[in-house]
Amino acid sequence: MIRFEAASRSYPGQPRPAVDALDLAVEAGTTCVLIGPSGCGKSTALRMVNRLIVPSAGRVLVEGQDVGGLDPIALRRRIGYVLQGVGLFPHRSVADNVATVPGLLGWPRRRIAERVDAMLDLVGLDPGAYRERRPDALSGGQRQRVGVARALAADPPVLLMDEPFGAVDPVARGRLQGEIRAILGRLGKTVLMVTHDMDEAVRMGDRIALMREGRIVQADAPARLLARPADAFAAEFVGGDRLLRRLALLPAEAHAEAGSAPGAPALAPEASLKDALALMLASGADRVGVAGSPRIVTLAAVRAAAGGPERGPP
């Protein structure tokens, strides 16, 4: 769906390209997260997709078409874009913000109104309560939801997300990430996202592309990246707590075994192995039960999963 073919971007006076011969494919219906240190080229790469930045060499394709040969305005209207800080029009209502691209595309008023209400409902905002509000009357999380609704309003096949949760407070961020991830999964959108937050990358991505000095160091599924960093830089970047991050990706149910643990605390069926470990540490037990099931998760199973062959999500 999105493909970079030896795509580069150089600037006069700079010692190296901002993006250097980037080769990367984002498959249809998946989310790929670009991550890396400041200045590694991740935001430059993302903005090549909708021609906010034009490659100096190579090319970028969307749905098999070289974006360099497309009208940039028409291209941007078929690509959703969620910005850091959201970027809502402050003088326009929530409904008018969400209706931006459908209005530019000339949709009939009734269709736009129906689409606005459907998008607000999709992102968990009651249309009757929020339709006429202005952005300054919303919380950071609510503004982010409106930004996602606006990006999805014209039903684009591709969505770009540039540090989308940076303005959301830490308490609400994890919940919002989970909700948006679930929405994108249901809609089957192809998403390219930029973040500097490894936990966010692991939570949101089907694939993570770690960049350094304009090049990809490793592009892999989150669990594989955490389990097997490609080199010392990748291992340092994903952090010393990478095994805990890996446990958060692995469903406890998949690592449970038959057995009983009388008096042991019960774990929710949808919990992760990180949740299981936290419950064991809090209770002083070496095993926990799985609620509603004659199965248990043991400390030995957690240890094996943390350092053993990958199981669970790819």
Side-chain angles (χ1 to χ4, degrees), residues 92-100 112 116 120 130-133:
R92 304 180 70 183
S93 68
V94 164
D96 287 341
N97 268 282
V98 176
T100 299
I112 290 175
V116 166
L120 291 177
Y130 289 93
R131 192 186 297 114
E132 300 307 320
R133 292 192 190 184

Side-chain angles (χ1 to χ4, degrees), residues 5-6 75 116 125 158 216 231 240 251 310:
E5 295 183 346
L75 172 69
V116 166
L125 297 175
V158 170
I216 290 180
D231 59 18
E310 179 186 338

